[in-house]
Amino acid sequence: MVGAGISTPSGIPDFRSPGSGLYSNLQQYNIPYPEAIFELEFFFHNPKPFFTLAKELYPGNYRPNATHYFLRLLHDKGLLLRLYTQNIDGLERGEPLFPLHVTSADVMADRVPCCPVCTGIVKPDIVFFGEPLPQRFLLHVVDFPMADLLLILGTSLEVEPFASLSEAVGSSVPRLLINRDLVGPFTWRPRRRDVAQLGDVIHSVERLVELLGWTEEMQDLVQRETGKLDGRDR
Ligand code: APR
């Protein structure tokens, strides 16, 4: 389970960190309250604040960090049953969310992207507040009871129904929280086998990779993937 805290080392602000979080820096967008920028009703009423923010955070301008590569290593080793992410930066997938050819010119030119056929506003493929979660989210009903370890990285566990997934694993299943601070059930309903590695996510992930004896594999993966990104950006 991951959140915006895994992307701050890539240069993308999270939402709630005091001072640096996005919700502390939206004054320029003239919105009634911070979360409005991600609310479906507000988006269709006034899409401008969202697309102004999207220009600032446009996919392709940021690169994955060690945390994203650690998740990829878990996948490559057949250890990752599923990744549940709240993030819209696409860094876990290494691909942008917007169909770049359709929206980038408009977004970069401070225009609201509209469909060339029906002229409706182009809504990005992210889940807004007030919008149903994608069907695949229901996989959690099968996934979490099957899990024999739950990793939670870089999230405040503030938003439901995502946050409650942290308690959906069996009571004897170890839960490892890697985060700057203790959050959610780790504070008010801790379990016997909980482990919390608090502090910077990169430092914590690199320490975990070292303990697993995967440091060399990780370095090879980062080198390989960074080379591909350098090639793409040329
Ligand atoms: N190292 C460790 N922890 C970090 C780091 C870092 N470099 N950077 C941030 N964090 C921690 C913060 O301390 C915080 O606990 O990551 C967490 C990020 O929490 P939020 O900013 O609330 O982000 P997130 O949990 O992803 O928010 C969930 O809220 O408003 C919605 O749509 C929004 O998807 C978002 C959802």
Side-chain angles (χ1 to χ4, degrees), residues 3-9 12-27 34-35 154-158 179-181 183 199-201:
I6 73 164
S7 294
T8 54
I12 301 174
D14 66 6
F15 295 90
R16 294 175 178 83
S17 281
S20 60
L22 203 59
Y23 289 159
S24 312
N25 295 282
L26 292 175
Q27 296 76 5
E35 284 83 354
T155 177
S156 59
L157 289 177
E158 292 264 343
N179 201 60
R180 188 172 287 135
D181 27 51
V183 292
D200 178 70
V201 64

Side-chain angles (χ1 to χ4, degrees), residues 24-43:
S24 312
N25 295 282
L26 292 175
Q27 296 76 5
Q28 58 179 309
Y29 294 102
N30 186 27
I31 51 179
Y33 46 87
E35 284 83 354
I37 205 162
F38 292 117
E39 281 182 357
L40 195 61
E41 191 180 341
F42 185 84
F43 174 80

Side-chain angles (χ1 to χ4, degrees), residues 113-168:
C114 291
C115 170
V117 177
C118 72
T119 71
I121 300 169
V122 173
K123 179 195 162 301
D125 181 21
I126 64 170
V127 179
F128 280 75
F129 286 118
E131 199 176 12
L133 288 167
Q135 279 293 314
R136 63 185 180 280
F137 180 74
L138 294 175
L139 286 170
H140 73 79
V141 173
V142 178
D143 289 343
F144 280 74
M146 270 174 69
D148 46 25
L149 169 66
L150 179 62
L151 299 177
I152 302 173
L153 299 97
T155 177
S156 59
L157 289 177
E158 292 264 343
V159 174
E160 294 297 357
F162 182 89
S164 296
L165 293 181
S166 62
E167 298 196 282

Side-chain angles (χ1 to χ4, degrees), residues 106-234:
D106 286 328
V107 172
M108 291 311 161
D110 298 315
R111 292 190 302 267
V112 172
C114 291
C115 170
V117 177
C118 72
T119 71
I121 300 169
V122 173
K123 179 195 162 301
D125 181 21
I126 64 170
V127 179
F128 280 75
F129 286 118
E131 199 176 12
L133 288 167
Q135 279 293 314
R136 63 185 180 280
F137 180 74
L138 294 175
L139 286 170
H140 73 79
V141 173
V142 178
D143 289 343
F144 280 74
M146 270 174 69
D148 46 25
L149 169 66
L150 179 62
L151 299 177
I152 302 173
L153 299 97
T155 177
S156 59
L157 289 177
E158 292 264 343
V159 174
E160 294 297 357
F162 182 89
S164 296
L165 293 181
S166 62
E167 298 196 282
V169 289
S171 55
S172 63
V173 172
R175 302 185 305 180
L176 169 59
L177 171 70
I178 291 183
N179 201 60
R180 188 172 287 135
D181 27 51
L182 218 50
V183 292
F186 286 81
T187 50
W188 36 263
R189 199 172 19 240
R191 292 182 181 179
R192 190 172 54 79
R193 301 192 72 187
D194 282 353
V195 176
Q197 171 62 38
L198 304 183
D200 178 70
V201 64
I202 297 294
H203 173 77
S204 302
V205 163
E206 288 177 342
R207 179 81 183 103
L208 177 58
V209 164
E210 186 192 351
L211 288 170
L212 288 164
W214 296 353
T215 301
E216 205 173 313
E217 281 175 273
M218 178 81 152
Q219 287 167 347
D220 292 349
L221 173 66
V222 173
Q223 197 171 14
R224 229 177 19 252
E225 294 302 317
T226 308
K228 286 181 197 168
L229 291 174
D230 290 343
R232 181 196 70 183
D233 294 350
R234 267 194 208 103

